Amino acid sequence: MAGSLRLRCGLIGVVLTTAATLGAELSVPDDPLLAEQWGLHNVGQEVAGIAGTPGADVAALKAWADYYPTRPVTVAIVGTGVDPHPEFADRLLEGYAIVGDPYNSLDIGVSDPLGTYVAGVVAASRGNAVGIAGVDDTVRLLPVRVFAEGTGSEIAVAAGIVWAVDNDADVVLVPLQYYGGSQALQDAVAYAYAQGVLVIAPTGKQGYSSLAYPAAFDGCLAIAATTNRDERADFSNYGVGVDLAAPGWNVLSTWRPDTYASLEVAWNSAAAMVAGAAAMVLSHSPGLSPIEAGQVLLDSADDLGDPSFFGHGRLNIAAALTLAPAPAVRFEHVGAVPSTIEADTPAIFFVRVSDGSQAVVLGSVRLWYRTPGGAFRARVPAAAGGMYTVELPPVLCDEVVEFYLAAAGDGGTTVFDPPGGSAEPYTAHAAERVLLFADDFETAQPGWTAVAEGVNPTGLWERAVPVGTTAQPGFDRTPNAGTSCYITGQHHGGHDGTNDVDGGPVRLLSPPVAIAGEYDIEVRYAQWFHSSGDDVDEMVVEFSCDNGVSWQVADVVEPTAGWEFHSFRLGDLPGVTSDELRVRWSVADAGDPSLTEAAIDEFAVWAIRCGSLKGDFDGDGDVDLDDCAAFPECLVGPLETPGNQACAAFDYDNDGDVDLPDTAKLQRSFDVP
């Protein structure tokens, strides 16, 4: 890679031409490095000493001007993992790491930055006065890590594709190349296609006259790379099966931890641009399936000639949005659609409804919802212009409300959001969650204790900014400005294992957290654990309810493939009652030596109060026989008065009256002492 990588630290870097000169007729985002992103808007600026051809780009500025996002789209990135770069950290979902693959001999350590690089091409924030712009900054990223760096097995990649499909990815980007074409990988691509999920991969980077896999498989969109002069990049594989071309030479994007880099051989950035474009088409035209969105990209491409080089042509996102069918009526969510709501409390969110190919019929907007055991019922949201205030009804803790929106166009078409309507509604889970304690380790909170035991232990836990190696993370797990975590044996030397865990155990103990009177407790944290060598070790997670006098095992952690979130509930463990809680993590390296490191971040303790509110007529914190004895007086007795606050504990459906529907809900929440 020497000579092909140009780093940009923060906003440092020579801007070739000012953003204001990129276009007079279109609004230009204020991202200071946008002028170097010739693939998004090419005005002939010189790149790597070569003057470009104006218009040899994906027409991003016009596409952004025409773009009308109506729903969130998820793009999975199957590869080396994605760092929480500030350009997209707020849209980085909790992904997955494929581990235990016997055919993958690589040590799983710090992720290769190429995953972060392609993520920026897809989704870097636009118009934030920082760094670069991604193709679609509304997209959600789902990282699926299948190996650390270099190349990993096709078995692991196939498992990653299947996991992404099964976890609601709309588009699966596989910025990788293989020349074996295993049956497992072919089956994974076929599975995605059968489920209606679009798989996109680069044709390869050796300049061969045949395509790499998975791009060569039927059902995968194969993307070649072009230069700033609309020529085939000389490293881009070509031949039968090329579907589409996109900029993939000297492309600037995000790099770890919060910097930017330009890669000369940017072969996988071409596929990333297409993934971002597919996401835009899907959100702009929510009636399309991902496979149909891919076809729109092919049909709207700019013809560059030889199909063995360019397929249908070079990507043109603006033309794709023009070709994509507009919905009869458009829904645009202002903020997130709630997936978790507070129990026993109405939940409010906002949506704009506007004309599409038809005009919205005034008064036609409806919220359709149903609570457990009921049929869908309609509500009319409050309207102010094109903005609607949508209110979900209150539901019991641990119950789920299903809902969707509907609006009619003046051409007689009814449009649903989500498009599946009652068959595929949104869902929101009701919970009473109260944060009792949280620490992201960005500042030194009191009470954390590092303890070394055993003979001559090394690798003591410390709060630090991690220094990446194959055994240690190169970044913490706190989004945006986060830098610090707790880590074992911070890497102070020049190679792996300079100060890793030997002997021990070394332990990290949390401060005591008061949990008295809470119904249930959830402990949640991000963890990193690496152990490799002749004797692979484990990390033990324990908790104590007596200030460390005794400990109970909550989890035994085997090596992870990067940062992973974990949680456990005390309510799932029998016989646990306490007024306080401590958690500790223990790592040891005994016997044959191994390279062992661990890290912890984003620690939080939540109170889960489901079942402790409604039904507790006497306020003793329990729904018991005394409460059941009082219920008839509110149902048919002297307290039976609509709106009577004395009986509010029994009004499960919050309709102002205690009636027969509340009877079944009381029975469900009754807890025999």
Side-chain angles (χ1 to χ4, degrees):
M1 192 180 293
S4 66
L5 173 66
R6 293 182 291 119
L7 283 175
R8 297 285 185 267
C9 298
L11 302 183
I12 299 173
V14 178
V15 178
L16 300 176
T17 182
T18 63
T21 66
L22 286 179
E25 75 287 357
L26 296 170
S27 175
V28 180
D30 61 358
D31 305 271
L33 298 180
L34 178 64
E36 296 190 52
Q37 295 182 267
W38 64 267
L40 298 180
H41 189 65
N42 191 339
V43 294
Q45 63 263 50
E46 187 174 292
V47 180
I50 298 176
T53 299
D57 56 44
V58 299
L61 262 63
K62 186 175 189 311
W64 294 333
D66 297 339
Y67 184 34
Y68 196 116
T70 62
R71 68 179 183 95
V73 174
T74 298
V75 173
I77 300 178
V78 178
T80 60
V82 179
D83 300 339
H85 195 286
E87 288 273 20
F88 49 71
D90 59 337
R91 289 171 285 116
L92 186 61
L93 304 175
E94 290 181 31
Y96 187 69
I98 306 298
V99 296
D101 173 14
Y103 298 98
N104 186 352
S105 60
L106 288 173
D107 287 343
I108 301 297
V110 64
S111 65
D112 190 299
L114 285 176
T116 305
Y117 176 80
V118 297
V121 174
V122 175
S125 294
R126 182 175 73 251
N128 61 345
V130 176
I132 65 167
V135 173
D136 182 4
D137 68 351
T138 71
V139 75
R140 299 181 300 192
L141 297 173
L142 182 66
V144 183
R145 186 174 175 186
V146 292
F147 54 85
E149 50 191 322
T151 59
S153 80
E154 295 182 46
I155 300 290
V157 175
I161 293 172
V162 171
W163 186 91
V165 172
D166 289 344
N167 285 270
D168 302 323
D170 299 292
V171 176
V172 178
L173 170 62
V174 189
L176 308 170
Q177 59 172 12
Y178 292 93
Y179 290 94
S182 72
Q183 187 64 49
L185 189 55
Q186 183 175 10
D187 290 346
V189 172
Y191 175 74
Y193 188 86
Q195 299 300 314
V197 175
L198 181 64
V199 179
I200 300 172
T203 58
K205 64 174 180 177
Q206 277 74 31
Y208 295 161
S209 59
S210 60
L211 308 191
Y213 296 98
F217 288 130
D218 290 341
C220 181
L221 215 57
I223 312 302
T226 59
T227 71
N228 66 335
R229 300 177 64 85
D230 263 347
E231 300 166 340
R232 179 183 71 88
D234 58 8
F235 54 78
S236 182
N237 290 10
Y238 61 95
V240 176
V242 174
D243 291 307
L244 194 63
W249 172 82
N250 278 290
V251 173
L252 180 67
S253 188
T254 48
W255 203 255
R256 91 149 36 104
D258 56 3
T259 58
Y260 302 85
S262 179
L263 295 183
E264 178 183 351
V265 181
W267 59 291
N268 46 22
S269 73
M273 282 198 180
V274 174
M280 289 183 72
V281 170
L282 281 171
S283 187
H284 190 78
S285 298
L288 292 177
S289 71
I291 302 299
E292 291 169 336
Q295 187 62 50
V296 168
L297 298 181
L298 301 182
D299 294 343
S300 58
D302 289 340
D303 185 6
L304 298 183
D306 191 341
S308 68
F309 286 176
F310 307 109
H312 287 69
R314 191 244 311 115
L315 175 69
N316 185 324
I317 308 174
L321 295 185
T322 300
L323 182 63
V329 174
R330 296 185 182 275
F331 291 91
E332 179 187 6
H333 294 282
V334 181
V337 176
S339 58
T340 301
I341 60 177
E342 186 177 353
D344 302 307
T345 304
I348 293 175
F349 65 98
F350 301 93
V351 63
R352 290 191 182 96
V353 184
S354 59
D355 298 345
S357 60
Q358 301 175 23
V360 179
V361 176
L362 294 178
S364 68
V365 178
R366 294 288 186 273
L367 166 70
W368 288 90
Y369 71 94
R370 70 178 174 190
T371 52
F376 277 104
R377 302 169 63 185
R379 281 186 172 182
V380 180
M387 179 75 78
Y388 290 80
T389 302
V390 183
E391 181 178 300
L392 296 176
V395 292
L396 289 177
C397 204
D398 264 352
E399 290 192 339
V400 173
V401 58
E402 297 179 314
F403 61 98
Y404 64 95
L405 297 165
D410 63 1
T413 302
T414 299
V415 178
F416 302 109
D417 175 47
S422 61
E424 298 177 352
Y426 294 115
T427 59
H429 178 254
E432 287 287 344
R433 293 169 55 88
V434 178
L435 182 64
L436 301 181
F437 180 85
D439 196 344
D440 59 8
F441 306 127
E442 297 308 307
T443 59
Q445 292 197 39
W448 290 92
T449 307
V451 178
E453 300 177 4
V455 179
N456 299 322
T458 65
L460 190 66
W461 288 88
E462 61 177 301
R463 189 180 71 86
V465 177
V467 177
T469 71
T470 58
Q472 286 185 345
F475 52 93
D476 76 335
R477 194 56 186 86
T478 305
N480 300 322
T483 59
S484 299
C485 61
Y486 258 98
I487 193 166
T488 59
Q490 171 67 321
H491 182 76
H492 296 299
H495 58 84
D496 293 347
T498 301
N499 196 26
D500 73 321
V501 176
D502 290 310
V506 294
R507 308 188 195 273
L508 175 66
L509 282 70
S510 76
V513 179
I515 60 173
E518 301 299 350
Y519 177 76
D520 195 5
I521 296 297
E522 181 181 76
V523 179
R524 179 178 169 83
Y525 49 89
Q527 62 186 14
W528 173 296
F529 182 58
H530 174 95
S531 184
S532 61
D534 296 333
D535 180 29
V536 175
D537 299 303
E538 298 172 329
M539 177 168 64
V540 180
V541 185
E542 302 165 287
F543 67 92
S544 173
C545 294
D546 52 17
N547 199 27
V549 175
S550 61
W551 295 90
Q552 183 170 336
V553 174
D555 193 18
V556 177
V557 182
E558 296 180 348
T560 65
W563 282 113
E564 296 178 359
F565 277 93
H566 180 74
S567 65
F568 63 89
R569 283 195 183 187
L570 297 188
D572 295 333
L573 304 169
V576 176
T577 58
S578 177
D579 290 337
E580 74 169 22
L581 171 73
R582 295 192 79 175
V583 182
R584 77 176 181 185
W585 297 263
S586 300
V587 183
D589 183 10
D592 293 333
S594 61
L595 179 57
T596 299
E597 299 277 15
I600 299 296
D601 203 4
E602 293 295 293
F603 177 74
V605 179
W606 293 84
I608 311 297
R609 293 176 173 170
C610 290
S612 64
L613 300 176
K614 289 294 187 181
D616 184 17
F617 181 79
D618 56 13
D620 65 354
D622 193 15
V623 180
D624 51 24
L625 290 172
D626 292 335
D627 300 306
C628 292
F631 182 74
E633 296 191 8
C634 291
L635 180 65
V636 296
L639 298 180
E640 187 217 350
T641 303
N644 184 355
Q645 289 303 305
C647 293
F650 294 137
D651 184 14
Y652 282 87
D653 53 13
N654 295 296
D655 64 354
D657 189 19
V658 178
D659 46 24
L660 288 177
D662 299 310
T663 306
K665 295 180 179 180
L666 172 66
Q667 185 176 1
R668 287 205 305 272
S669 62
F670 175 58
D671 181 19
V672 178

